[in-house]
Amino acid sequence: MVLCLITASSTFYLQPGRSRYLQKCMRIQNCGRYLLKHVDITRQKIIPSARVDTVGLEVFVVSDLHTEYEENMAWLKGLPKKGKKKEVLLVAGDVAETYEKFVLTMSLLKASFEHVFFVPGNHDLWLRKEKENYIDSLQKLDKMLDACQRLGVETNPSVIDGLAIIPLFSWYHESFDREKDIPGIRIPSLELACKDFRACKWPDGLTNGDNSLATHFDAMNDKNQDTVQEILASCNQIISFSHFIPRLELCPEKRMLFYPNLPKLIGSDFLELRIRYIHGARGNTNACHIFGHTHFCWDVLLDGIRYVQAPLAYPRERKRRMNGGEDWLPFCIYSEGELTENMSPCYWSDYYASNPRTPDVTELAPWVARFYRKL
């Protein structure tokens, strides 16, 4: 997810919680001068677990492919072609910005995996390069889903060898964020910071300014309610997945983020309600939900459900291994009849495993504070 911040005198790109680690340059106006800051931090690579020599069903996960980047498309083309093993891939959104690149990407994934499942992300519905082709972003979504059907890419719940896989459509809403805002600094507005407000187009009655988009996308799951109920009655092992995040605990606190209002653009309460309906209020040892969107690697157990994000993300992020690199992707989440071990190391979820979340603390982290002036 890229946030583009534009002021009257400068333009810079801000990727919350990531880009300063990526040797990304940020221009800040200060008394008529520009201060240019470089930060170069490299994290450890995540240990790969993909495509091991096992017998039986294996399920792999990845999000945020962004194959409009040549490096990401090259990674995709380097995946081994499918063999005799039954392998499943869950793609948690943000495949590509254009329809043509989306179809190519999903075709290549189908050549590598017997089963491919997909849910859309916000970048998939951008129209800035295809405005003349669609009335709105929902028309583009319909065309993408039709393409999935032709290619054999699955977008509905299904059971494979006793394992249920449930895709969940979703969109974010601002009221998802219920934690204290950072006071005393000037934070760019959501409309200015997030390209979705300009790159997507919606029919009357749907807008990013309220819950209407979140409820609309959530309602798209209703058509599968009977199938989900059948799955709940017959399957003990279920993996659900979405693009957007279902809980605030799956994102760093605002004081840690270069765009502190990021939590207003990432998640859905309606999504967590769906997940709890599927996996139970207390979850269980087989409960797992996959998500994407923020490009933060994550692997954590919350209230009996394992939540995992395994993003390919942007090339510049991988060069600094801010998402653990790329050799470990796609991540194998299920093998030999059970969920696999947690990805490791996993920076942010490892951090919160040892440090309590303190959202009431609003003093900016030092690496963030240097980019904001107090009002």
Side-chain angles (χ1 to χ4, degrees):
M1 179 181 184
V2 175
L3 301 182
C4 177
L5 305 186
I6 303 172
T7 66
S9 56
S10 67
T11 301
F12 55 91
Y13 288 87
L14 180 62
Q15 298 199 53
R18 303 191 303 276
S19 60
R20 295 314 155 276
Y21 298 123
L22 309 173
Q23 201 177 5
K24 181 73 176 174
C25 299
M26 177 178 179
R27 293 178 179 176
I28 301 177
Q29 190 176 21
N30 183 16
C31 300
R33 297 166 56 197
Y34 285 104
L35 304 178
L36 193 59
K37 187 71 179 179
H38 293 268
V39 180
D40 185 359
I41 299 176
T42 300
R43 293 184 188 152
Q44 290 179 287
K45 296 178 70 172
I46 291 176
I47 299 171
S49 65
R51 307 218 134 164
V52 294
D53 187 16
T54 60
V55 177
L57 179 68
E58 287 187 317
V59 179
F60 298 83
V61 297
V62 69
S63 70
D64 303 281
L65 292 171
H66 296 291
T67 54
E68 59 269 14
Y69 290 91
E70 292 182 5
E71 299 95 327
N72 288 20
M73 181 59 76
W75 172 88
L76 173 63
K77 291 180 178 179
L79 290 175
K81 301 306 179 185
K82 59 187 173 186
K84 296 180 180 180
K85 292 193 301 182
K86 185 175 289 187
E87 294 179 326
V88 178
L89 179 67
L90 311 185
V91 183
D94 275 7
V95 171
E97 183 176 341
T98 65
Y99 174 79
E100 180 181 5
K101 197 73 74 174
F102 172 82
V103 171
L104 174 59
T105 300
M106 302 313 288
S107 299
L108 291 170
L109 291 175
K110 277 294 293 179
S112 291
F113 294 88
E114 183 173 351
H115 297 274
V116 177
F117 287 78
F118 164 77
V119 291
N122 49 315
H123 282 243
D124 299 314
L125 303 186
W126 282 9
L127 301 181
R128 61 178 186 167
K129 296 180 180 179
E130 303 175 303
K131 290 181 180 179
E132 68 282 357
N133 297 339
Y134 305 102
I135 297 174
D136 54 40
S137 293
L138 293 183
Q139 186 184 43
K140 182 180 180 182
L141 175 58
D142 288 340
K143 188 174 180 180
M144 290 167 56
L145 295 179
D146 288 342
C148 286
Q149 188 173 17
R150 292 195 309 272
L151 293 170
V153 173
E154 301 172 61
T155 59
N156 294 314
S158 183
V159 178
I160 304 172
D161 289 359
L163 173 69
I165 297 171
I166 302 181
L168 292 174
F169 287 69
S170 59
W171 198 266
Y172 58 86
H173 56 97
E174 183 177 347
S175 57
F176 172 77
D177 173 27
R178 290 181 293 277
E179 294 182 345
K180 185 179 294 186
D181 287 333
I182 304 295
I185 60 173
R186 180 175 287 110
I187 302 174
S189 68
L190 302 181
E191 293 80 4
L192 191 64
C194 181
K195 287 185 179 180
D196 293 347
F197 286 84
R198 302 178 297 280
C200 294
K201 182 181 180 182
W202 305 108
D204 292 343
L206 297 181
T207 175
N208 271 336
D210 54 27
N211 291 357
S212 59
L213 277 170
T215 56
H216 177 86
F217 277 84
D218 179 67
M220 294 177 67
N221 300 303
D222 289 342
K223 65 182 177 62
N224 294 320
Q225 189 63 21
D226 290 343
T227 303
V228 170
Q229 288 181 344
E230 292 174 4
I231 286 173
L232 296 180
S234 60
C235 291
N236 294 322
Q237 294 179 312
I238 302 174
I239 299 176
S240 56
F241 74 106
S242 63
H243 178 65
F244 297 100
I245 81 169
R247 298 177 64 130
L248 274 172
E249 300 98 315
L250 301 173
C251 180
E253 299 150 80
K254 291 178 181 177
R255 62 192 174 90
M256 309 283 199
L257 299 168
F258 285 95
Y259 185 61
N261 283 343
L262 176 66
K264 304 179 190 301
L265 299 166
I266 60 174
S268 169
D269 293 323
F270 309 106
L271 180 56
E272 177 68 1
L273 290 174
R274 295 271 178 185
I275 294 168
R276 289 292 155 178
Y277 175 79
I278 291 168
H279 297 291
R282 297 183 179 180
N284 60 75
T285 56
N286 297 317
C288 182
H289 183 79
I290 311 300
F291 63 99
H293 189 53
T294 58
H295 296 200
F296 297 125
C297 292
W298 218 281
D299 197 335
V300 67
L301 185 68
L302 294 174
D303 298 328
I305 298 178
R306 183 178 174 186
Y307 294 88
V308 175
Q309 180 173 197
L312 181 61
Y314 300 119
R316 57 184 176 271
E317 294 169 330
R318 295 197 305 282
K319 288 177 182 177
R320 291 293 176 266
R321 294 204 300 267
M322 300 317 300
N323 65 332
E326 63 185 44
D327 296 338
W328 63 286
L329 291 167
F331 180 66
C332 184
I333 191 66
Y334 181 89
S335 181
E336 298 183 324
E338 61 184 7
L339 297 175
T340 60
E341 294 183 1
N342 286 47
M343 66 176 73
S344 178
C346 194
Y347 185 82
W348 277 113
S349 47
D350 288 350
Y351 171 82
Y352 283 112
S354 303
N355 299 275
R357 189 178 179 87
T358 55
D360 289 337
V361 176
T362 58
E363 182 178 354
L364 292 175
W367 61 86
V368 178
R370 70 184 68 180
F371 296 115
Y372 286 93
R373 287 188 302 168
K374 292 185 177 181
L375 296 175

